[in-house]
Structure formats: C-alpha cells, structure tokens
C-alpha cells in the first residue's frame, strides 16, 4: 500500500512541475510577443525620424529637433524595456 502512496505522491509532484513549466512557457511566450511589439514600435519611430530627415533635406530646412528628440527618447525607453523583459525571461528560464 505504501508503494502506491509513494507513486501517487511522485505523480502529483511531477504533474505540479509540468504545470509550473507550462505556465513559465506561456509567460515567456507573452514576454516575447511584447518584445516583438516594442521592436515594431521602434521600427515605426525610426521610419518617422527618417521621414523628418528626408523632408528637411528636400526642403533644405533645419531638422525639426523638437519633433525628433521626443521620438528618440521614446526609442531609448523601448530599448530599455526590451532589456528588462529579456532579463525577466532569463530569470524564468
């Protein structure tokens, strides 16, 4: 009878570990999706900056620094967020 009880306990522990790993995998997946979204935002922001540069070149005007600087700050913040998410993924894995 003790053998069946031990087997049952081991099965419960194994099932719990599998559940925890599955939960971790789901969390990592969500974090990776968030990174992809941030990277898309960064690409769009860089394109926007490029548009400002091009318009300034074509129109032979000065760069609109007041418009570009906030975009650059947002990009910097997004890279920092990506770094933090990657660290979180490392802790989970």
């Amino acid at each position: 009878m003790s053998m069946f009880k031990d087997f049952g306990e081991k099965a419960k522990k194994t099932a719990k570990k599998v559940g925890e790993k599955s939960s971790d995998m789901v969390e990592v997946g969500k974090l990776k999706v968030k990174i992809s979204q941030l990277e898309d935002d960064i690409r769009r922001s860089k394109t926007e900056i490029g548009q400002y540069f091009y318009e300034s070149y074509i129109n032979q005007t000065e760069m609109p620094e007041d418009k570009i600087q906030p975009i650059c700050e947002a990009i910097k913040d997004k890279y920092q967020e990506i770094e933090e998410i990657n660290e979180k993924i490392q802790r989970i894995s």
Side-chain angles (χ1 to χ4, degrees), residues 6-90:
D6 289 343
F7 179 74
E9 290 298 318
K10 287 180 183 180
K12 284 181 187 178
K13 287 180 184 178
T14 301
K16 184 178 177 184
K17 285 184 182 181
V18 168
E20 290 170 358
K21 276 294 181 188
S22 295
S23 176
D24 289 349
M25 289 172 55
V26 168
E27 181 67 18
V28 167
K30 288 179 183 178
L31 292 171
K32 287 183 178 183
V33 167
K34 179 66 176 169
I35 288 172
S36 292
Q37 291 170 341
L38 290 167
E39 289 171 340
D40 286 344
D41 290 347
I42 290 169
R43 276 190 286 282
R44 281 192 292 276
S45 294
K46 287 180 177 181
T47 299
E48 186 176 354
I49 291 170
Q51 187 64 36
Y52 283 125
F53 272 103
Y54 180 72
E55 288 173 4
S56 295
Y57 171 76
I58 291 298
N59 298 324
Q60 297 181 350
T61 59
E62 287 191 35
M63 291 293 303
E65 191 173 324
D66 60 323
K67 293 182 180 181
I68 293 174
Q69 186 173 359
I71 298 169
C72 290
E73 295 288 331
I75 290 171
K76 180 181 170 185
D77 292 343
K78 285 178 179 30
Y79 276 124
Q80 178 63 36
E81 189 173 350
I82 289 171
E83 187 176 314
E84 291 169 4
I85 292 171
N86 279 323
E87 289 172 4
K88 189 172 184 178
I89 289 171
Q90 289 299 318

